[in-house]
Amino acid sequence: MLTFFAVAGCYRKPGFETGDHLIPLGSSDPAQIVTVVGVEKDGYRIVAGVNPAPRDPVETRTRAEIESYYVRVADLPVGGSWSTPTPTPTPTPTPTPKPTSTAAPATPSPSPTPSPIDVKKVAASVRPALVRLTLFDAKDKPTRSAIGLLISADGRVVTTARTVEGAAKGVIELSSGAIKNVTGVLASSPGSDLAIVKADVTGAPFLPVNTTPTIQVGEEVAIVDTADAANGGTAVPGTVAAIHSDPAGDALQVNGGDLHATAGAPVVSRRSEIVGFITADEKGSTLNSVRSAAAVAALLTQVQPSATPSWPGIASPGPSPSPSGTPKPRPTPATGDAALVYTPYPRYPAAARFSYFGPQSGTGRYLVKFGADGAATSVQIVKSTGSDLLDQAAVDALRSWRAQRGRPSQRIVPITFRRP
């Protein structure tokens, strides 16, 4: 019978265990760290990285190779670099200090790089004061739609001058969804392409404009837009690339990646300060239609405390002979936000389902006016869905809507048609 004896020294306990993180001796690169995932009699199974995944490739290396080339990360001195541990050096005598000259002043450390602008935080501080304006001509035909900023408690709104050109009436939609009448234009400047209108608003959130904003080239800003209000609005970051002097107010150039903005949208600094306004719809990597908020100062000087709003699309009446008797003024019925009581949703039209280009879809906005009896008196297309069939289906349904009786009212209604 053969008998086997274990000779001392023939088997040596492995130097590393499963789960150990190893790094090559003398290396300072954390990317070279490997993890032990298995220990065998004559070798180790290792995986690159400190958080191996089940499908990561496994490499088998001999014990001699691993133990002579790697060191356990946990054995390194605390606070040291990824390098080979060195023995404690022999203390050397302290040399006699030499006379030193006056030390040069220390170089100041560079200021830390600011973090990117938080556009969501900036937008949240501004968006409650943003409104959507819809203007109409004397025949109640929609002319333009733009963004405005409510800047005072008495209903003053900054928007673009082009928005109010030829307008005879208008409404605004507040951030709360309420619809209010615009009573007219207080001041307008074609040079700066900005205007101030007056709305029948009290108690709504507003944001005063600093007419001497602090803005520098290279500063990050956010363009806050309500064009996508149904999804919480949009806000995109940009950088002020140039500031051009102009008698009508400095013009800003804003650069960025995928910029898009609607006329009237404010440009806001990281301090939530209004520094400019978009004066025309733009898309791309550069926005050139940006007017400094300082231009609003010139407009405000045109507005007297007793100023009466007026409409560009309504000619001022000439002097007329004095009547023999003073007629009693006819009261103007109040028009407010409609309280709806019957709102059937439009059906998807069958003709749109079998269109030549396939089923159609789109989102439209419609102004519905109600009489004192609560019946819908008119429906106007503020923004088309892009399809006549879908718009007509929306108008037909809205004509059957009803509001509470008692006074004339109105409501802007968004309607979305989706492909069936």
Side-chain angles (χ1 to χ4, degrees), residues 133 135-139 143-144 159-170 182-190 194-198 308-317:
L133 290 96
L135 286 303
F136 306 86
D137 61 18
K139 296 181 180 180
T143 55
R144 286 184 176 86
T159 187
T160 70
R162 264 176 283 189
T163 301
V164 301
E165 287 180 357
K169 59 187 68 175
V182 177
T183 56
V185 180
L186 290 171
S188 180
S189 169
L194 291 177
I196 297 178
V197 303
K198 180 71 168 63
T308 301
S310 60
W311 287 107
I314 299 178
S316 300

Side-chain angles (χ1 to χ4, degrees), residues 88 92-93 152 198 279 342 344 346 363:
T88 304
T92 56
S152 68
K198 180 71 168 63
T279 57
Y342 179 67
T363 298

Side-chain angles (χ1 to χ4, degrees), residues 181-377:
N181 286 331
V182 177
T183 56
V185 180
L186 290 171
S188 180
S189 169
S192 65
D193 199 8
L194 291 177
I196 297 178
V197 303
K198 180 71 168 63
D200 188 12
V201 175
T202 56
F206 67 93
L207 185 63
V209 174
N210 184 356
T211 54
T212 57
T214 303
I215 188 67
Q216 298 178 349
V217 173
E219 185 171 344
E220 284 190 303
V221 293
I223 297 95
V224 185
D225 200 336
T226 58
D228 190 25
N231 295 321
T234 58
V236 294
T239 302
V240 177
I243 302 176
H244 306 290
S245 298
D246 191 307
D250 290 347
L252 311 180
Q253 177 183 321
V254 178
N255 292 351
D258 182 19
L259 299 176
H260 51 277
T262 303
V267 180
V268 191
S269 71
R270 65 171 63 248
R271 302 176 298 279
S272 297
E273 178 186 24
I274 307 296
V275 297
F277 292 90
I278 304 294
T279 57
D281 294 351
E282 275 195 295
K283 292 183 179 181
S285 58
T286 300
L287 300 181
N288 293 304
S289 301
V290 185
R291 185 68 62 177
S292 169
V296 177
L299 288 175
L300 291 174
T301 60
Q302 301 177 28
V303 182
Q304 301 299 323
S306 58
T308 301
S310 60
W311 287 107
I314 299 178
S316 300
S320 57
S322 300
S324 55
T326 303
K328 294 182 179 180
R330 298 178 61 185
T332 302
T335 302
D337 196 20
L340 303 175
V341 297
Y342 179 67
T343 58
Y345 203 81
R347 295 183 178 181
Y348 188 91
R353 185 191 305 265
F354 302 104
S355 169
Y356 176 80
F357 298 101
Q360 301 175 13
S361 63
T363 298
R365 294 163 58 86
Y366 308 88
L367 175 64
V368 187
K369 295 184 178 181
F370 302 91
D373 61 352
T377 58

